[in-house]
Amino acid sequence: MMSQAHNQSIAQLPQLQRAPLLALLPDVAERIAAGEVIERPVSVIKELIENALDAGAREIRVEVRGGGLRLMRVADDGYGIPEDELERACLRHTTSKIQSVEDLSRLHTLGFRGEALASIAAVSEVTLLSRAIETDGMGEDHAALSITLRGGEVTQRGRRARLHGTTVTVRDLFYNVPARLKFMRGARTENGHIVQLLQRYALGYPAVRFNLVIDEHVALQTSGAGDLAITLAELYHLLLNEMLYPVNTSGGDHYAIHGYIGNRVLAQSTRHYVMLFINGRGVQSRPLQEALEEGYRGLLPKGKHPLLVLFLAVPPDEVDVNVHPAKTEVRLVREDEIVAALTQAVRAVLEKGPALPEAIQFPGPVLANQRRLPGPRRRGLRVSESSEGYKAETAPPGATEIVNTLRPLAQLQQAVILAEAPDGSLYLVDQHRAHERVIYEHLRRVYAGVQHNEAVDGHLLLEPVIVEMKRYQADLLEQRLPMLRGLGIECERFGGRSFLIRSVPGGEDGEGQEQLVAHLQELAETAAEDSSDWEDHLLISLSCRSAMRRGRELGSGEQLALLKTLANVTAPAVCPHGSPILLHYSRAFLIDKFDW
Ligand code: ADP
Ligand code: MG
């Protein structure tokens, strides 16, 4: 779906000009919405990345230790800070980005309040090392200046060799704000926020090379190739090509929209992946997000949100970013018009794209993708389809009868059963999804029994498996142990946050059990999900994990047996995730295509 013509997915990069650093005059300072206080490590990283982007950086390296409390370092290759301005850069309301109130309406930088460095310096030890681009010709011996401030006071000065650009190192965050420290979540939580933040900026600035190292491990890396599709692949390690559709549209001089929108397969259970950048700034605007989701109306199941990255460019004087402390909310002069345009842009693209199975052309893109897709969860991105509403529309009438009469012909790519119907039409049956559906319906029946205190015996594991939960998960899991037991999962608390799993749901299939054992940690986490539909998620995961994989060779007897069991389920046409199990090529299709 992706064409080379859309390689220009580059957010507007700031211009490489730098004005002198000035203290804002009181009247300007007053007009600026109060800046966000530094709440947690990720807020520091956000400000430092924005400064680097404002300085025209092409490469931004971020290092984090101890969840950010011990150390955070952001290094860029931007235009740097001249020596005589280094110290003043840490004063409040000192900025090189605006000078007058009018400048607020022609902003082309992410920062403008001149507060971030000051706020960070007030609650940590900050070392600034910078070499301005103007000094580049001056030889190596002209080392860059570095200053260290603690609690806002300069404690150290030095010189170090450096190419142009800036490195900001923040140590001991909140050392003087114990109250804030107390509310800090664990390092893992903070790291998680930081990774998500970097993902967003990496997508917003595909032409910038990002590198994130957390506790000496590379957590994220992009090539800065300038192509959003490449960045997406680099971040999520998925071949998303056929699941993304390019968007490119504009409304005269008032707005231009470009980027990519994901198809149904990429639907996610959070809004994190609805990414909208307005003039290069990642924004979270309810009306605009809703406008985008409106474009998907009827395509995504309830509770699911699309994955999309869109860039909206508007004239700087038609957007006000000075309304929210974190600048994540903006006010648009032509909001109504843009809301309508976003919905329309998404809808137009989706209508053209082969999102619905009816429109799948041979060889169907869904099929083509699914073979390459890894499990449903990878690197935090859930690739699945779950669609209650979707079932009705795809299950062809009488699917059960049809499946019952199918005669298997062969197996394609060890993944798909080719079968002939009595009327001479061809059916393709995804063996993994078919099996998954069978197991899912079986588990649902078992689970219905659990509510009436019936229980089934699981398959006893020779060696029990220990899973480690987070604290809140451990308590939830403990409450749910009786229900799990009913499903055949013998699990007991093993002190602290550890649990011992002694059995998994039984079945004749040894391969299925092996797969389950390999995924017990993931399954336990699903069973401890803090959501109202954890049961269904668990049943889906169990069936997905124990269903036969693609890549398994099936003899004709096994093919027939699978089709017969599939004929016994209530919804043989869609897998529990909502994806098609059957594709149909009618006789009419053959007659038409072969021109018989
Ligand atoms: P703002 O970004 O709102 O101007 P900051 O406190 O974040 O305020 O930064 C103050 C000033 O320090 C900026 O205006 C800029 O001149 C300079 N500065 C900060 N970080 C960098 C950087 N990475 N590269 C170049 N200049 C920087
Ligand atoms: Mg800034």
PDB file of all heavy atoms in Angstrom, residues 18-19 21 47-48 51-52 54-55 76 78-81 85 89-91 94-97 110-118 128 130 165-166 168 327, ligand 1:
ATOM      1  N   ARG A  18      19.494  31.138  14.579  1.00  0.00           N
ATOM      2  CA  ARG A  18      19.384  31.293  16.006  1.00  0.00           C
ATOM      3  C   ARG A  18      19.475  32.769  16.332  1.00  0.00           C
ATOM      4  O   ARG A  18      20.367  33.469  15.881  1.00  0.00           O
ATOM      5  CB  ARG A  18      20.502  30.529  16.683  1.00  0.00           C
ATOM      6  CG  ARG A  18      20.337  30.506  18.180  1.00  0.00           C
ATOM      7  CD  ARG A  18      21.439  29.723  18.810  1.00  0.00           C
ATOM      8  NE  ARG A  18      21.195  29.540  20.232  1.00  0.00           N
ATOM      9  CZ  ARG A  18      21.404  30.480  21.134  1.00  0.00           C
ATOM     10  NH1 ARG A  18      21.867  31.651  20.777  1.00  0.00           N
ATOM     11  NH2 ARG A  18      21.146  30.254  22.401  1.00  0.00           N
ATOM     12  N   ALA A  19      18.521  33.211  17.133  1.00  0.00           N
ATOM     13  CA  ALA A  19      18.548  34.602  17.564  1.00  0.00           C
ATOM     14  C   ALA A  19      19.282  34.663  18.894  1.00  0.00           C
ATOM     15  O   ALA A  19      19.437  33.638  19.553  1.00  0.00           O
ATOM     16  CB  ALA A  19      17.110  35.088  17.718  1.00  0.00           C
ATOM     17  N   LEU A  21      20.076  35.165  22.814  1.00  0.00           N
ATOM     18  CA  LEU A  21      19.311  34.821  23.999  1.00  0.00           C
ATOM     19  C   LEU A  21      18.952  36.095  24.752  1.00  0.00           C
ATOM     20  O   LEU A  21      19.811  36.894  25.081  1.00  0.00           O
ATOM     21  CB  LEU A  21      20.196  33.936  24.875  1.00  0.00           C
ATOM     22  CG  LEU A  21      19.586  33.272  26.070  1.00  0.00           C
ATOM     23  CD1 LEU A  21      18.660  32.156  25.616  1.00  0.00           C
ATOM     24  CD2 LEU A  21      20.688  32.681  26.932  1.00  0.00           C
ATOM     25  N   GLU A  47      11.455  18.185  27.490  1.00  0.00           N
ATOM     26  CA  GLU A  47      11.959  19.540  27.286  1.00  0.00           C
ATOM     27  C   GLU A  47      13.314  19.522  26.575  1.00  0.00           C
ATOM     28  O   GLU A  47      13.570  20.347  25.692  1.00  0.00           O
ATOM     29  CB  GLU A  47      12.077  20.267  28.624  1.00  0.00           C
ATOM     30  CG  GLU A  47      10.737  20.529  29.309  1.00  0.00           C
ATOM     31  CD  GLU A  47       9.822  21.454  28.518  1.00  0.00           C
ATOM     32  OE1 GLU A  47      10.337  22.219  27.668  1.00  0.00           O
ATOM     33  OE2 GLU A  47       8.600  21.413  28.735  1.00  0.00           O
ATOM     34  N   LEU A  48      14.171  18.594  26.964  1.00  0.00           N
ATOM     35  CA  LEU A  48      15.507  18.571  26.362  1.00  0.00           C
ATOM     36  C   LEU A  48      15.438  18.155  24.887  1.00  0.00           C
ATOM     37  O   LEU A  48      16.157  18.687  24.046  1.00  0.00           O
ATOM     38  CB  LEU A  48      16.431  17.643  27.156  1.00  0.00           C
ATOM     39  CG  LEU A  48      16.677  18.059  28.626  1.00  0.00           C
ATOM     40  CD1 LEU A  48      17.650  17.102  29.303  1.00  0.00           C
ATOM     41  CD2 LEU A  48      17.209  19.495  28.716  1.00  0.00           C
ATOM     42  N   ASN A  51      14.259  21.119  22.918  1.00  0.00           N
ATOM     43  CA  ASN A  51      15.341  22.086  22.710  1.00  0.00           C
ATOM     44  C   ASN A  51      16.273  21.624  21.599  1.00  0.00           C
ATOM     45  O   ASN A  51      16.722  22.414  20.768  1.00  0.00           O
ATOM     46  CB  ASN A  51      16.134  22.282  24.003  1.00  0.00           C
ATOM     47  CG  ASN A  51      15.422  23.221  24.965  1.00  0.00           C
ATOM     48  OD1 ASN A  51      14.482  23.915  24.578  1.00  0.00           O
ATOM     49  ND2 ASN A  51      15.865  23.231  26.206  1.00  0.00           N
ATOM     50  N   ALA A  52      16.569  20.332  21.581  1.00  0.00           N
ATOM     51  CA  ALA A  52      17.451  19.792  20.549  1.00  0.00           C
ATOM     52  C   ALA A  52      16.811  19.950  19.174  1.00  0.00           C
ATOM     53  O   ALA A  52      17.451  20.364  18.208  1.00  0.00           O
ATOM     54  CB  ALA A  52      17.758  18.327  20.833  1.00  0.00           C
ATOM     55  N   ASP A  54      14.542  22.140  18.326  1.00  0.00           N
ATOM     56  CA  ASP A  54      14.543  23.570  18.006  1.00  0.00           C
ATOM     57  C   ASP A  54      15.907  24.021  17.500  1.00  0.00           C
ATOM     58  O   ASP A  54      16.012  24.990  16.753  1.00  0.00           O
ATOM     59  CB  ASP A  54      14.167  24.396  19.246  1.00  0.00           C
ATOM     60  CG  ASP A  54      12.658  24.392  19.501  1.00  0.00           C
ATOM     61  OD1 ASP A  54      11.907  23.979  18.594  1.00  0.00           O
ATOM     62  OD2 ASP A  54      12.240  24.809  20.603  1.00  0.00           O
ATOM     63  N   ALA A  55      16.958  23.338  17.947  1.00  0.00           N
ATOM     64  CA  ALA A  55      18.305  23.712  17.517  1.00  0.00           C
ATOM     65  C   ALA A  55      18.681  23.029  16.205  1.00  0.00           C
ATOM     66  O   ALA A  55      19.840  23.041  15.804  1.00  0.00           O
ATOM     67  CB  ALA A  55      19.319  23.349  18.605  1.00  0.00           C
ATOM     68  N   ASP A  76      22.802  16.469  21.370  1.00  0.00           N
ATOM     69  CA  ASP A  76      22.331  16.737  20.016  1.00  0.00           C
ATOM     70  C   ASP A  76      23.451  17.322  19.170  1.00  0.00           C
ATOM     71  O   ASP A  76      24.498  17.700  19.678  1.00  0.00           O
ATOM     72  CB  ASP A  76      21.116  17.683  20.060  1.00  0.00           C
ATOM     73  CG  ASP A  76      21.468  19.090  20.521  1.00  0.00           C
ATOM     74  OD1 ASP A  76      22.355  19.738  19.928  1.00  0.00           O
ATOM     75  OD2 ASP A  76      20.826  19.555  21.504  1.00  0.00           O
ATOM     76  N   GLY A  78      22.831  19.951  17.174  1.00  0.00           N
ATOM     77  CA  GLY A  78      22.202  21.203  16.723  1.00  0.00           C
ATOM     78  C   GLY A  78      23.179  22.361  16.725  1.00  0.00           C
ATOM     79  O   GLY A  78      24.388  22.169  16.851  1.00  0.00           O
ATOM     80  N   TYR A  79      22.652  23.555  16.634  1.00  0.00           N
ATOM     81  CA  TYR A  79      23.543  24.702  16.445  1.00  0.00           C
ATOM     82  C   TYR A  79      24.251  25.170  17.718  1.00  0.00           C
ATOM     83  O   TYR A  79      25.073  26.066  17.670  1.00  0.00           O
ATOM     84  CB  TYR A  79      22.855  25.854  15.730  1.00  0.00           C
ATOM     85  CG  TYR A  79      21.508  26.278  16.293  1.00  0.00           C
ATOM     86  CD1 TYR A  79      21.360  26.613  17.638  1.00  0.00           C
ATOM     87  CD2 TYR A  79      20.408  26.384  15.447  1.00  0.00           C
ATOM     88  CE1 TYR A  79      20.132  27.025  18.127  1.00  0.00           C
ATOM     89  CE2 TYR A  79      19.178  26.790  15.936  1.00  0.00           C
ATOM     90  CZ  TYR A  79      19.042  27.105  17.276  1.00  0.00           C
ATOM     91  OH  TYR A  79      17.842  27.509  17.761  1.00  0.00           O
ATOM     92  N   GLY A  80      23.918  24.573  18.829  1.00  0.00           N
ATOM     93  CA  GLY A  80      24.683  24.877  20.042  1.00  0.00           C
ATOM     94  C   GLY A  80      24.339  26.217  20.672  1.00  0.00           C
ATOM     95  O   GLY A  80      23.531  26.991  20.160  1.00  0.00           O
ATOM     96  N   ILE A  81      24.955  26.462  21.815  1.00  0.00           N
ATOM     97  CA  ILE A  81      24.713  27.700  22.555  1.00  0.00           C
ATOM     98  C   ILE A  81      26.044  28.452  22.652  1.00  0.00           C
ATOM     99  O   ILE A  81      27.030  27.870  23.105  1.00  0.00           O
ATOM    100  CB  ILE A  81      24.205  27.403  23.989  1.00  0.00           C
ATOM    101  CG1 ILE A  81      23.006  26.440  23.945  1.00  0.00           C
ATOM    102  CG2 ILE A  81      23.843  28.691  24.727  1.00  0.00           C
ATOM    103  CD1 ILE A  81      22.519  25.987  25.317  1.00  0.00           C
ATOM    104  N   GLU A  85      26.371  32.793  26.419  1.00  0.00           N
ATOM    105  CA  GLU A  85      24.945  32.661  26.758  1.00  0.00           C
ATOM    106  C   GLU A  85      24.665  31.439  27.605  1.00  0.00           C
ATOM    107  O   GLU A  85      23.545  31.261  28.097  1.00  0.00           O
ATOM    108  CB  GLU A  85      24.122  32.577  25.473  1.00  0.00           C
ATOM    109  CG  GLU A  85      24.204  33.844  24.640  1.00  0.00           C
ATOM    110  CD  GLU A  85      23.271  33.793  23.435  1.00  0.00           C
ATOM    111  OE1 GLU A  85      22.667  32.729  23.192  1.00  0.00           O
ATOM    112  OE2 GLU A  85      23.158  34.822  22.760  1.00  0.00           O
ATOM    113  N   ALA A  89      21.234  30.826  29.837  1.00  0.00           N
ATOM    114  CA  ALA A  89      20.193  29.937  29.286  1.00  0.00           C
ATOM    115  C   ALA A  89      19.402  29.256  30.395  1.00  0.00           C
ATOM    116  O   ALA A  89      18.264  28.836  30.188  1.00  0.00           O
ATOM    117  CB  ALA A  89      20.835  28.888  28.370  1.00  0.00           C
ATOM    118  N   CYS A  90      20.018  29.179  31.569  1.00  0.00           N
ATOM    119  CA  CYS A  90      19.329  28.506  32.683  1.00  0.00           C
ATOM    120  C   CYS A  90      18.519  29.474  33.533  1.00  0.00           C
ATOM    121  O   CYS A  90      17.974  29.085  34.570  1.00  0.00           O
ATOM    122  CB  CYS A  90      20.329  27.781  33.567  1.00  0.00           C
ATOM    123  SG  CYS A  90      21.093  26.422  32.721  1.00  0.00           S
ATOM    124  N   LEU A  91      18.439  30.721  33.141  1.00  0.00           N
ATOM    125  CA  LEU A  91      17.614  31.670  33.901  1.00  0.00           C
ATOM    126  C   LEU A  91      16.179  31.604  33.388  1.00  0.00           C
ATOM    127  O   LEU A  91      15.928  31.348  32.214  1.00  0.00           O
ATOM    128  CB  LEU A  91      18.147  33.098  33.720  1.00  0.00           C
ATOM    129  CG  LEU A  91      19.563  33.354  34.248  1.00  0.00           C
ATOM    130  CD1 LEU A  91      19.962  34.798  33.970  1.00  0.00           C
ATOM    131  CD2 LEU A  91      19.630  33.054  35.744  1.00  0.00           C
ATOM    132  N   THR A  94      14.236  33.274  29.904  1.00  0.00           N
ATOM    133  CA  THR A  94      15.309  33.660  29.000  1.00  0.00           C
ATOM    134  C   THR A  94      15.259  32.719  27.812  1.00  0.00           C
ATOM    135  O   THR A  94      15.338  31.506  27.970  1.00  0.00           O
ATOM    136  CB  THR A  94      16.674  33.522  29.701  1.00  0.00           C
ATOM    137  OG1 THR A  94      16.568  34.152  30.959  1.00  0.00           O
ATOM    138  CG2 THR A  94      17.757  34.175  28.885  1.00  0.00           C
ATOM    139  N   THR A  95      15.059  33.308  26.644  1.00  0.00           N
ATOM    140  CA  THR A  95      14.861  32.467  25.460  1.00  0.00           C
ATOM    141  C   THR A  95      15.418  33.145  24.227  1.00  0.00           C
ATOM    142  O   THR A  95      15.458  34.377  24.151  1.00  0.00           O
ATOM    143  CB  THR A  95      13.353  32.159  25.269  1.00  0.00           C
ATOM    144  OG1 THR A  95      13.205  31.372  24.092  1.00  0.00           O
ATOM    145  CG2 THR A  95      12.511  33.413  25.123  1.00  0.00           C
ATOM    146  N   SER A  96      15.845  32.352  23.267  1.00  0.00           N
ATOM    147  CA  SER A  96      16.258  32.915  21.982  1.00  0.00           C
ATOM    148  C   SER A  96      15.139  32.745  20.965  1.00  0.00           C
ATOM    149  O   SER A  96      15.317  33.042  19.797  1.00  0.00           O
ATOM    150  CB  SER A  96      17.518  32.199  21.500  1.00  0.00           C
ATOM    151  OG  SER A  96      17.291  30.808  21.445  1.00  0.00           O
ATOM    152  N   LYS A  97      13.974  32.281  21.432  1.00  0.00           N
ATOM    153  CA  LYS A  97      12.957  31.888  20.459  1.00  0.00           C
ATOM    154  C   LYS A  97      11.875  32.924  20.201  1.00  0.00           C
ATOM    155  O   LYS A  97      11.308  32.963  19.113  1.00  0.00           O
ATOM    156  CB  LYS A  97      12.358  30.542  20.869  1.00  0.00           C
ATOM    157  CG  LYS A  97      13.471  29.482  20.876  1.00  0.00           C
ATOM    158  CD  LYS A  97      13.102  28.167  21.452  1.00  0.00           C
ATOM    159  CE  LYS A  97      14.374  27.328  21.667  1.00  0.00           C
ATOM    160  NZ  LYS A  97      14.116  26.061  22.335  1.00  0.00           N
ATOM    161  N   LEU A 110       9.382  24.687  19.062  1.00  0.00           N
ATOM    162  CA  LEU A 110       8.576  23.972  20.041  1.00  0.00           C
ATOM    163  C   LEU A 110       8.583  24.699  21.380  1.00  0.00           C
ATOM    164  O   LEU A 110       7.600  24.746  22.093  1.00  0.00           O
ATOM    165  CB  LEU A 110       9.116  22.544  20.201  1.00  0.00           C
ATOM    166  CG  LEU A 110       9.033  21.711  18.912  1.00  0.00           C
ATOM    167  CD1 LEU A 110       9.869  20.446  19.015  1.00  0.00           C
ATOM    168  CD2 LEU A 110       7.587  21.361  18.621  1.00  0.00           C
ATOM    169  N   GLY A 111       9.728  25.264  21.728  1.00  0.00           N
ATOM    170  CA  GLY A 111       9.828  26.026  22.966  1.00  0.00           C
ATOM    171  C   GLY A 111       9.608  27.505  22.703  1.00  0.00           C
ATOM    172  O   GLY A 111       9.706  27.951  21.565  1.00  0.00           O
ATOM    173  N   PHE A 112       9.266  28.237  23.740  1.00  0.00           N
ATOM    174  CA  PHE A 112       9.182  29.694  23.606  1.00  0.00           C
ATOM    175  C   PHE A 112       9.119  30.379  24.959  1.00  0.00           C
ATOM    176  O   PHE A 112       9.191  31.589  25.049  1.00  0.00           O
ATOM    177  CB  PHE A 112       7.980  30.121  22.745  1.00  0.00           C
ATOM    178  CG  PHE A 112       6.658  29.594  23.254  1.00  0.00           C
ATOM    179  CD1 PHE A 112       5.957  30.297  24.228  1.00  0.00           C
ATOM    180  CD2 PHE A 112       6.117  28.442  22.738  1.00  0.00           C
ATOM    181  CE1 PHE A 112       4.731  29.824  24.691  1.00  0.00           C
ATOM    182  CE2 PHE A 112       4.887  27.960  23.204  1.00  0.00           C
ATOM    183  CZ  PHE A 112       4.200  28.647  24.180  1.00  0.00           C
ATOM    184  N   ARG A 113       9.001  29.579  26.042  1.00  0.00           N
ATOM    185  CA  ARG A 113       8.784  30.224  27.328  1.00  0.00           C
ATOM    186  C   ARG A 113      10.078  30.503  28.073  1.00  0.00           C
ATOM    187  O   ARG A 113      10.075  31.224  29.070  1.00  0.00           O
ATOM    188  CB  ARG A 113       7.907  29.349  28.206  1.00  0.00           C
ATOM    189  CG  ARG A 113       6.509  29.218  27.658  1.00  0.00           C
ATOM    190  CD  ARG A 113       5.666  28.361  28.554  1.00  0.00           C
ATOM    191  NE  ARG A 113       4.331  28.251  28.031  1.00  0.00           N
ATOM    192  CZ  ARG A 113       3.643  27.132  27.965  1.00  0.00           C
ATOM    193  NH1 ARG A 113       4.194  26.001  28.386  1.00  0.00           N
ATOM    194  NH2 ARG A 113       2.437  27.124  27.491  1.00  0.00           N
ATOM    195  N   GLY A 114      11.149  29.899  27.652  1.00  0.00           N
ATOM    196  CA  GLY A 114      12.417  30.119  28.324  1.00  0.00           C
ATOM    197  C   GLY A 114      12.414  29.681  29.769  1.00  0.00           C
ATOM    198  O   GLY A 114      13.062  30.288  30.626  1.00  0.00           O
ATOM    199  N   GLU A 115      11.698  28.614  30.048  1.00  0.00           N
ATOM    200  CA  GLU A 115      11.573  28.188  31.437  1.00  0.00           C
ATOM    201  C   GLU A 115      12.153  26.819  31.724  1.00  0.00           C
ATOM    202  O   GLU A 115      12.426  26.507  32.878  1.00  0.00           O
ATOM    203  CB  GLU A 115      10.093  28.119  31.823  1.00  0.00           C
ATOM    204  CG  GLU A 115       9.452  29.456  31.946  1.00  0.00           C
ATOM    205  CD  GLU A 115       8.033  29.310  32.471  1.00  0.00           C
ATOM    206  OE1 GLU A 115       7.370  28.311  32.139  1.00  0.00           O
ATOM    207  OE2 GLU A 115       7.607  30.208  33.201  1.00  0.00           O
ATOM    208  N   ALA A 116      12.280  26.013  30.685  1.00  0.00           N
ATOM    209  CA  ALA A 116      12.561  24.600  30.942  1.00  0.00           C
ATOM    210  C   ALA A 116      13.893  24.409  31.661  1.00  0.00           C
ATOM    211  O   ALA A 116      13.946  23.775  32.713  1.00  0.00           O
ATOM    212  CB  ALA A 116      12.537  23.815  29.637  1.00  0.00           C
ATOM    213  N   LEU A 117      14.956  24.973  31.104  1.00  0.00           N
ATOM    214  CA  LEU A 117      16.261  24.747  31.726  1.00  0.00           C
ATOM    215  C   LEU A 117      16.266  25.278  33.160  1.00  0.00           C
ATOM    216  O   LEU A 117      16.821  24.651  34.058  1.00  0.00           O
ATOM    217  CB  LEU A 117      17.370  25.397  30.898  1.00  0.00           C
ATOM    218  CG  LEU A 117      17.696  24.694  29.573  1.00  0.00           C
ATOM    219  CD1 LEU A 117      18.848  25.399  28.855  1.00  0.00           C
ATOM    220  CD2 LEU A 117      18.040  23.221  29.783  1.00  0.00           C
ATOM    221  N   ALA A 118      15.634  26.416  33.360  1.00  0.00           N
ATOM    222  CA  ALA A 118      15.586  26.976  34.714  1.00  0.00           C
ATOM    223  C   ALA A 118      14.854  26.034  35.665  1.00  0.00           C
ATOM    224  O   ALA A 118      15.299  25.783  36.784  1.00  0.00           O
ATOM    225  CB  ALA A 118      14.905  28.344  34.688  1.00  0.00           C
ATOM    226  N   LEU A 128      25.687  21.599  31.462  1.00  0.00           N
ATOM    227  CA  LEU A 128      25.488  21.981  30.064  1.00  0.00           C
ATOM    228  C   LEU A 128      26.841  22.003  29.388  1.00  0.00           C
ATOM    229  O   LEU A 128      27.762  22.661  29.881  1.00  0.00           O
ATOM    230  CB  LEU A 128      24.945  23.400  29.979  1.00  0.00           C
ATOM    231  CG  LEU A 128      23.497  23.700  30.274  1.00  0.00           C
ATOM    232  CD1 LEU A 128      23.270  25.213  30.150  1.00  0.00           C
ATOM    233  CD2 LEU A 128      22.618  22.984  29.280  1.00  0.00           C
ATOM    234  N   SER A 130      28.269  22.795  25.580  1.00  0.00           N
ATOM    235  CA  SER A 130      27.766  23.180  24.268  1.00  0.00           C
ATOM    236  C   SER A 130      28.838  23.858  23.443  1.00  0.00           C
ATOM    237  O   SER A 130      29.710  24.551  23.959  1.00  0.00           O
ATOM    238  CB  SER A 130      26.557  24.112  24.425  1.00  0.00           C
ATOM    239  OG  SER A 130      25.927  24.275  23.176  1.00  0.00           O
ATOM    240  N   GLY A 165      27.009  21.422  18.891  1.00  0.00           N
ATOM    241  CA  GLY A 165      25.850  20.761  19.473  1.00  0.00           C
ATOM    242  C   GLY A 165      25.882  20.910  20.980  1.00  0.00           C
ATOM    243  O   GLY A 165      26.755  21.590  21.530  1.00  0.00           O
ATOM    244  N   THR A 166      24.897  20.304  21.611  1.00  0.00           N
ATOM    245  CA  THR A 166      24.725  20.514  23.042  1.00  0.00           C
ATOM    246  C   THR A 166      24.495  19.183  23.749  1.00  0.00           C
ATOM    247  O   THR A 166      23.788  18.327  23.228  1.00  0.00           O
ATOM    248  CB  THR A 166      23.499  21.428  23.280  1.00  0.00           C
ATOM    249  OG1 THR A 166      23.697  22.634  22.536  1.00  0.00           O
ATOM    250  CG2 THR A 166      23.319  21.753  24.759  1.00  0.00           C
ATOM    251  N   VAL A 168      23.174  17.980  27.482  1.00  0.00           N
ATOM    252  CA  VAL A 168      22.662  18.378  28.793  1.00  0.00           C
ATOM    253  C   VAL A 168      22.588  17.121  29.655  1.00  0.00           C
ATOM    254  O   VAL A 168      21.980  16.128  29.256  1.00  0.00           O
ATOM    255  CB  VAL A 168      21.257  19.013  28.684  1.00  0.00           C
ATOM    256  CG1 VAL A 168      20.783  19.478  30.063  1.00  0.00           C
ATOM    257  CG2 VAL A 168      21.275  20.184  27.704  1.00  0.00           C
ATOM    258  N   LYS A 327       1.835  22.368  26.561  1.00  0.00           N
ATOM    259  CA  LYS A 327       1.706  22.692  25.147  1.00  0.00           C
ATOM    260  C   LYS A 327       1.175  21.522  24.327  1.00  0.00           C
ATOM    261  O   LYS A 327       1.401  21.437  23.124  1.00  0.00           O
ATOM    262  CB  LYS A 327       3.060  23.130  24.554  1.00  0.00           C
ATOM    263  CG  LYS A 327       3.675  24.319  25.251  1.00  0.00           C
ATOM    264  CD  LYS A 327       5.047  24.601  24.650  1.00  0.00           C
ATOM    265  CE  LYS A 327       6.024  25.110  25.659  1.00  0.00           C
ATOM    266  NZ  LYS A 327       7.375  24.642  25.424  1.00  0.00           N
TER     267      LYS A 327
HETATM  268  P1  ADP B   1      12.924  27.756  25.496  1.00  0.00           P
HETATM  269  O1  ADP B   1      13.152  26.486  24.788  1.00  0.00           O
HETATM  270  O2  ADP B   1      11.491  27.986  25.805  1.00  0.00           O
HETATM  271  O3  ADP B   1      13.554  28.920  24.837  1.00  0.00           O
HETATM  272  P2  ADP B   1      14.612  26.640  27.548  1.00  0.00           P
HETATM  273  O4  ADP B   1      14.756  26.915  28.991  1.00  0.00           O
HETATM  274  O5  ADP B   1      14.234  25.265  27.159  1.00  0.00           O
HETATM  275  O6  ADP B   1      13.596  27.663  26.950  1.00  0.00           O
HETATM  276  O7  ADP B   1      15.975  26.998  26.854  1.00  0.00           O
HETATM  277  C1  ADP B   1      16.506  28.288  27.002  1.00  0.00           C
HETATM  278  C2  ADP B   1      17.382  28.677  25.838  1.00  0.00           C
HETATM  279  O8  ADP B   1      18.568  27.876  25.859  1.00  0.00           O
HETATM  280  C3  ADP B   1      16.759  28.396  24.492  1.00  0.00           C
HETATM  281  O9  ADP B   1      15.976  29.490  24.054  1.00  0.00           O
HETATM  282  C4  ADP B   1      18.002  28.219  23.607  1.00  0.00           C
HETATM  283  O10 ADP B   1      18.505  29.453  23.179  1.00  0.00           O
HETATM  284  C5  ADP B   1      19.009  27.615  24.548  1.00  0.00           C
HETATM  285  N1  ADP B   1      19.082  26.153  24.405  1.00  0.00           N
HETATM  286  C6  ADP B   1      18.615  25.241  25.277  1.00  0.00           C
HETATM  287  N2  ADP B   1      18.874  23.981  24.845  1.00  0.00           N
HETATM  288  C7  ADP B   1      19.522  24.111  23.667  1.00  0.00           C
HETATM  289  C8  ADP B   1      20.070  23.172  22.724  1.00  0.00           C
HETATM  290  N3  ADP B   1      19.983  21.843  22.907  1.00  0.00           N
HETATM  291  N4  ADP B   1      20.681  23.678  21.630  1.00  0.00           N
HETATM  292  C9  ADP B   1      20.760  25.011  21.435  1.00  0.00           C
HETATM  293  N5  ADP B   1      20.264  25.930  22.275  1.00  0.00           N
HETATM  294  C10 ADP B   1      19.664  25.503  23.387  1.00  0.00           C
END
